[in-house]
Amino acid sequence: MNRHEKRSIESYDRMADHYDDSPEGRFTLRFNALLKGAVEIPAGGNLLDVACGSGRLLGMLAAERRFQGYGVDISGRMVEEAARLNPTMVFKRAACDALPFDDDFFDAVTVSAAFHHFPSPAAFAREAFRVLKPGGRLYIAEVHYPALARALINPIIRFSPEGDVKIYAPEEIASILRGAGFTVGAAGIEGNIQLQSGRKG
């Protein structure tokens, strides 16, 4: 476990019982709303939210669709809170690059406002590809800043107490997904949010 993961665990364990009402939780809600409109999941399918936090995205999706929800988070306290709020779903404590699920199991995988925390996004992309069924999709709603802002932010972001690692350009995320085997479409940009998706097979 590296220092970014340790900081993430410490930070999100502290805010788990009030995350949805925190400034960060309110910030993430916009990312969840975009994913809610974009995610396609067959009735009765399996959906995994990586870095699920309190499970709010899964709850938002379940309000309108019928599927089996799963979530993983590196914070044990967040996993406990997600399970409390979503008792019919399955939550596990796990790192993004070591998903505790079988190959070809999920119809969709989501990541909401968390990709910049991942120590090895390429390893995560390979894991997402592994656990998705053929034809399944990975959806990522991630922070988007122009090149100048990224150049100013990225040299200092690694010192963030929340365990942030890097803010990525859309083409960087697309390249990572292609490297894992995904077929990638054009990114959607809405303000400071980029929406990326990749299809397996």
Side-chain angles (χ1 to χ4, degrees):
M1 181 181 298
N2 66 30
R3 68 179 187 276
H4 299 291
E5 292 171 307
K6 290 178 180 177
R7 289 173 182 169
S8 289
I9 292 170
E10 292 169 358
S11 176
Y12 290 98
D13 274 356
R14 283 195 301 270
M15 68 175 79
D17 62 355
H18 63 278
Y19 176 77
D20 288 349
D21 294 322
S22 70
E24 185 163 347
R26 290 191 291 272
F27 175 78
T28 303
L29 185 59
R30 294 174 51 234
F31 294 76
N32 292 347
L34 278 179
L35 283 169
K36 180 184 173 184
V39 170
E40 297 179 5
I41 180 77
N46 295 325
L47 187 150
L48 171 66
D49 189 29
V50 177
C52 64
S54 65
R56 183 161 56 172
L57 172 59
L58 288 166
M60 291 168 64
L61 289 166
E64 298 180 353
R65 312 176 202 193
R66 184 175 63 83
F67 63 89
Q68 178 58 55
Y70 297 78
V72 296
D73 201 282
I74 198 169
S75 162
R77 287 284 294 111
M78 279 293 200
V79 167
E80 291 172 4
E81 184 70 3
R84 183 183 71 81
L85 294 172
N86 303 275
T88 64
M89 299 185 187
V90 177
F91 295 93
K92 298 184 179 185
R93 181 178 180 181
C96 66
D97 54 4
L99 301 176
F101 301 102
D102 292 338
D103 297 357
D104 305 327
F105 184 73
F106 292 103
D107 298 280
V109 173
T110 56
V111 181
S112 184
F115 194 80
H116 57 282
H117 283 277
F118 294 173
S120 176
F124 158 71
R126 291 191 296 270
E127 274 290 88
F129 191 89
R130 178 184 67 78
V131 300
L132 277 167
K133 298 175 183 178
R137 285 189 174 273
L138 167 64
Y139 299 88
I140 300 172
E142 177 56 3
V143 177
H144 174 259
Y145 292 129
L148 179 57
R150 293 196 307 274
L152 295 172
I153 293 170
N154 280 332
I156 61 173
I157 197 173
R158 65 182 184 273
F159 300 110
S160 161
E162 286 80 29
D164 298 341
V165 177
K166 181 182 178 181
I167 303 297
Y168 294 88
E171 55 270 21
E172 289 181 294
I173 296 179
S175 178
I176 290 167
L177 299 188
R178 290 191 188 99
F182 286 100
T183 300
V184 181
I189 307 295
E190 185 171 318
N192 68 332
I193 302 176
Q194 55 178 305
L195 184 61
Q196 301 264 3
S197 68
R199 181 178 181 273
K200 177 176 177 176

